[in-house]
Amino acid sequence: SQRRHTLTQAQLKELDASRLRKVYKLLTNLTSTLNYQRVLELALDSSMQALTSTDTPEDRLVGAVLLFSKGDEETAQLYIATSRRLLPPDRKHTFPGQKGLLKAVIEEGGGMIAEEPAKDPEIGRLIALQTCATAYCTPLREGINTYGVFLFAHTQANFFNAANREVLNIITKQAVSAIQNARLYQDLELEKERMTEIQEEARKKLARNLHDGP
């Protein structure tokens, strides 16, 4: 009996080590890309894969990245930038983030659990959450700036235990840094394109002037 117990503990340790190696590999991929949409996809896939095991099939886990649309604080809405296991009608929803779990997470600035997410005043509109017993939401936040949230839900109650929440919090922190870098790179690329267009227009104007002049 003692031998079986020791073997079980060893297997659990190996499982945890394997999980950490997988998370580390996923995070390495996450921080090595500067494509904004790719960062979001990798961040969500990293979270989903890190939480998936033989005991928790992937088809029972729902995940989404919700980002604030551009605009002032009063008009900005959370939209679904990318998701896993959400139905097509779900992906069209937007959320003001003024009630329920979303409001609490944004105001508190930390991850929170919600039991019976189908009853939530905002995320409860999602069809995919109707069969979920619990949800976990964590903010994509840097300083006082909140870019959006990670939202996960599962059919199994108490799925988001301390270990799973810690994994998600680690990935979220890395995702924020990767998103910032990708956004900066995207802004620089857009500025580069804008400057190229200005230079091209100036070249064409100069060519017209030379052609029409003496």
Side-chain angles (χ1 to χ4, degrees):
S1 175
Q2 179 63 35
R3 181 178 178 80
R4 285 197 299 269
H5 177 73
T6 303
L7 180 61
T8 301
Q9 292 298 321
Q11 289 174 334
L12 288 174
K13 288 182 179 179
E14 177 58 30
L15 179 62
D16 289 339
S18 175
R19 182 176 178 179
L20 288 174
R21 287 194 295 270
K22 181 165 65 173
V23 171
Y24 177 78
K25 182 178 180 180
L26 292 169
L27 291 179
T28 301
N29 293 333
L30 176 63
T31 56
S32 64
T33 181
L34 291 174
N35 182 284
Y36 185 65
Q37 186 62 36
R38 181 61 176 157
V39 166
L40 298 178
E41 300 286 344
L42 283 173
L44 185 55
D45 285 339
S46 298
S47 302
M48 299 288 286
Q49 291 179 38
L51 295 179
T52 301
S53 67
T54 55
D55 296 329
T56 56
E58 191 174 353
D59 59 1
R60 298 174 62 187
L61 180 64
V62 177
V65 179
L66 281 64
L67 297 179
F68 276 111
S69 58
K70 293 183 179 180
D72 55 45
E73 294 183 1
E74 295 182 359
T75 61
Q77 296 269 317
L78 285 165
Y79 68 94
I80 298 174
T82 186
S83 65
R84 302 293 181 270
R85 307 289 182 275
L86 287 186
L87 300 176
D90 288 340
R91 294 195 289 268
K92 298 177 182 179
H93 282 301
T94 59
F95 310 88
Q98 299 297 320
K99 296 179 181 179
L101 180 62
L102 295 179
K103 178 183 179 182
V105 167
I106 292 168
E107 290 185 348
E108 296 297 326
M112 290 187 175
I113 295 175
E115 306 300 336
E116 298 182 291
K119 296 182 179 180
D120 186 272
E122 291 196 20
I123 63 173
R125 291 183 291 150
L126 297 172
I127 300 172
L129 267 60
Q130 301 307 304
T131 57
C132 291
T134 183
Y136 182 67
C137 188
T138 181
L140 289 166
R141 185 169 186 165
E142 179 66 27
I144 62 174
N145 298 317
T146 300
Y147 303 106
V149 300
F150 272 5
L151 175 65
F152 300 93
H154 201 274
T155 57
Q156 177 186 331
N158 302 319
F159 174 77
F160 298 104
N161 54 35
N164 283 342
R165 295 198 305 272
E166 181 62 23
V167 168
L168 290 177
N169 291 339
I170 291 172
I171 294 175
T172 299
K173 290 179 181 178
Q174 292 296 322
V176 170
S177 299
I179 287 172
Q180 284 183 313
N181 291 338
R183 274 191 167 180
L184 178 60
Y185 180 77
Q186 185 181 56
D187 290 343
L188 290 174
E189 286 295 300
L190 290 174
E191 181 65 16
K192 180 180 177 181
E193 291 178 7
R194 190 180 72 86
M195 293 301 297
T196 300
E197 291 175 358
I198 292 175
Q199 291 174 352
E200 180 63 17
E201 183 60 31
R203 186 191 66 78
K204 290 179 179 178
K205 183 178 180 180
L206 178 60
R208 288 195 300 268
N209 291 339
L210 290 173
H211 180 270
D212 297 337

Short mmCIF file of all heavy atoms in Angstrom, two decimals, residues 45 121 151 154:
data_model
loop_
_atom_site.label_atom_id
_atom_site.label_comp_id
_atom_site.label_asym_id
_atom_site.label_seq_id
_atom_site.Cartn_x
_atom_site.Cartn_y
_atom_site.Cartn_z
N ASP A 45 -4.19 29.53 -26.73
CA ASP A 45 -3.84 28.12 -26.91
C ASP A 45 -2.94 27.63 -25.78
O ASP A 45 -3.08 26.49 -25.32
CB ASP A 45 -3.15 27.91 -28.25
CG ASP A 45 -4.13 27.96 -29.42
OD1 ASP A 45 -5.33 27.75 -29.18
OD2 ASP A 45 -3.68 28.21 -30.55
N PRO A 121 -24.86 38.48 -15.30
CA PRO A 121 -25.61 39.44 -16.12
C PRO A 121 -25.00 39.77 -17.47
O PRO A 121 -25.71 40.25 -18.36
CB PRO A 121 -25.66 40.68 -15.22
CG PRO A 121 -24.54 40.53 -14.26
CD PRO A 121 -24.42 39.06 -14.03
N LEU A 151 -11.04 34.87 -20.32
CA LEU A 151 -12.21 34.25 -19.73
C LEU A 151 -12.19 32.75 -20.02
O LEU A 151 -12.05 32.34 -21.17
CB LEU A 151 -13.49 34.86 -20.29
CG LEU A 151 -14.81 34.23 -19.84
CD1 LEU A 151 -15.01 34.42 -18.34
CD2 LEU A 151 -15.98 34.82 -20.62
N HIS A 154 -15.65 25.97 -17.36
CA HIS A 154 -15.55 24.51 -17.41
C HIS A 154 -16.81 23.89 -16.86
O HIS A 154 -17.49 24.47 -16.00
CB HIS A 154 -14.33 24.04 -16.61
CG HIS A 154 -13.86 22.67 -16.99
ND1 HIS A 154 -14.39 21.53 -16.43
CD2 HIS A 154 -12.90 22.25 -17.86
CE1 HIS A 154 -13.79 20.47 -16.95
NE2 HIS A 154 -12.88 20.88 -17.82
#
